[in-house]
Amino acid sequence: MNEEESLGPLIDRICDAMKGFDKSWELILIDDGSTDRTLSYARSYLGREGLVLRIIEFQRNFGKAAGLQAGFDAARGRLIATLDGDLQNDPYDIPSMVAELDARDLDLLCGWRKARQDALVLRKIPSWCANYLIGSVTGVKIHDNGCGLKLYRSAVIKQVRILGGMHRFIPAWVASVVPSSRIGEVVVTHHARQFGESKYGISRTIRVFLDLLSVLFFMRFKQRPGHFFGTIGLVIGAISSLILLYLFWVKFGLGQDIGTRPLLLIGVMLFLTSIQMITTGILAEMLTRSYDTPKNYVVRKTYQKDA
């Protein structure tokens, strides 16, 4: 989005990096609702000799997750490499990453910006904290979940839908369809931003915590959400049963009045909550079997050579 100054050098670097690559490849550019001259600059490269280029223009700005998903949907290759358009990722790392992924027989190879060229307080420290938390919660130990330079096996990543802000958790999503042992990382080059402004600020750290809860739920209960809601319902129901049994004994065993006791109201409310959680789990199970996830973006036009 709005990377008109970076676009020319980006395409030149990609072409130069892939010059000695011995297999066919294509370049897909996603224009995420740019309001500057990014799209017109990109279209000027459609006739470039030796470059198979496709440009996908979004109807409006949908965000990075939607951009990645559109690229995954459109890609035709055996492998898919992603990188940001701000020149911070280095396309010269792609050929070596392809060799690394094939040599280690991986399904996802993540870039690790070990020598990251970003501000310490606003970018690095929040990123370190987020990566540690993501690894601890999801069990996928990756040093740099946020690196835009990643290499995927196409058949695997096309099984995953990247919605909302979930691009931050791609290794975790991939781990939901393949063993985490098939996910690796490699140190890559990282450059300081040369043009424009970053689209991300420190406020995204808060979103990471909220999105992480969703990731945890989907990783463990995507196929059986009834287990999640049902377990909570059964625990609450057990507590309710103990309270009501105790009050039953007090009423009929000891002959005491329980009509005005707050514990009676609590027991009844917990029982109703238990029933509600269990029925929610049943409804969630039904939805997972009938709901088809829609696309999270709208394409206005797609450009390629002579079309």
Side-chain angles (χ1 to χ4, degrees):
M1 178 190 176
N2 292 344
E3 297 285 4
E4 61 179 11
E5 294 174 301
S6 301
L7 191 60
L10 173 69
I11 295 176
D12 290 340
R13 289 184 189 180
I14 291 175
C15 291
D16 190 52
M18 303 299 287
K19 189 177 297 182
F21 195 62
D22 60 352
K23 295 179 175 64
S24 60
W25 61 277
E26 65 175 347
L27 173 61
I28 301 174
L29 296 177
I30 314 296
D31 175 35
D32 188 21
S34 295
T35 56
D36 61 1
R37 292 172 291 179
T38 294
L39 179 61
S40 60
Y41 282 3
R43 292 180 62 185
S44 67
Y45 283 86
L46 285 171
R48 181 166 176 167
E49 185 178 354
L51 175 62
V52 180
L53 173 63
R54 282 190 290 159
I55 305 165
I56 296 176
E57 179 193 3
F58 277 179
Q59 186 165 292
R60 63 170 176 82
N61 177 251
F62 287 97
K64 185 172 181 177
L68 288 171
Q69 188 61 62
F72 294 148
D73 291 341
R76 298 172 291 189
R78 178 179 68 92
L79 302 177
I80 302 174
T82 60
L83 70 164
D84 297 334
D86 55 14
L87 300 179
Q88 291 194 269
N89 299 138
D90 198 327
Y92 289 95
D93 288 319
I94 294 176
S96 61
M97 290 180 71
V98 171
E100 181 87 3
L101 181 136
D102 285 335
R104 294 166 60 182
D105 193 26
L106 299 174
D107 291 324
L108 167 59
L109 185 61
C110 302
W112 175 14
R113 298 166 294 181
K114 195 170 184 179
R116 185 172 178 178
Q117 304 299 310
D118 279 322
L120 178 64
V121 176
L122 295 179
R123 303 300 296 274
K124 289 185 179 180
I125 292 179
S127 179
W128 291 336
C129 295
N131 285 315
Y132 175 79
L133 183 62
I134 293 170
S136 300
V137 172
T138 65
V140 183
K141 305 294 185 179
I142 297 295
H143 287 91
D144 192 0
N145 285 272
C147 180
L149 183 54
K150 291 182 174 68
L151 183 67
Y152 309 80
R153 205 171 294 277
S154 178
V156 171
I157 193 58
K158 286 180 181 288
Q159 299 175 42
V160 179
R161 301 298 297 177
I162 311 300
L163 303 174
M166 297 303 175
H167 59 276
R168 305 181 185 96
F169 309 101
I170 285 180
W173 289 120
V174 172
S176 68
V177 296
V178 298
S180 58
S181 59
R182 298 189 65 84
I183 301 173
E185 63 181 343
V186 65
V187 175
V188 296
T189 306
H190 189 246
H191 302 286
R193 173 180 274 274
Q194 299 180 36
F195 309 104
E197 297 179 355
S198 173
K199 312 300 186 296
Y200 298 100
I202 197 170
S203 60
R204 67 174 178 165
T205 307
I206 300 174
R207 301 185 203 127
V208 169
F209 291 107
L210 297 176
D211 290 339
L212 191 56
L213 297 177
S214 299
V215 172
L216 182 61
F217 174 83
F218 277 97
M219 286 187 67
R220 296 188 180 181
F221 303 104
K222 180 181 179 181
Q223 300 300 322
R224 299 305 302 269
H227 288 187
F228 175 78
F229 294 104
T231 300
I232 296 176
L234 290 176
V235 170
I236 295 175
I239 297 172
S240 170
S241 298
L242 291 174
I243 292 174
L244 294 177
L245 284 173
Y246 167 74
L247 292 175
F248 182 86
W249 175 73
V250 170
K251 174 68 175 178
F252 297 101
L254 302 180
Q256 298 178 11
D257 183 28
I258 62 171
T260 58
R261 293 197 179 192
L263 195 60
L264 176 62
L265 180 61
I266 293 174
V268 172
M269 291 302 297
L270 287 177
F271 176 77
L272 295 176
T273 302
S274 172
I275 297 298
Q276 187 176 30
M277 294 300 293
I278 293 173
T279 53
T280 298
I282 294 172
L283 291 173
E285 291 277 350
M286 295 172 65
L287 286 172
T288 58
R289 285 155 175 75
S290 61
Y291 182 66
D292 183 23
T293 303
K295 288 186 176 181
N296 57 337
Y297 61 90
V298 178
V299 174
R300 183 185 300 277
K301 293 181 182 179
T302 298
Y303 304 89
Q304 56 191 43
K305 188 177 181 180
D306 301 327

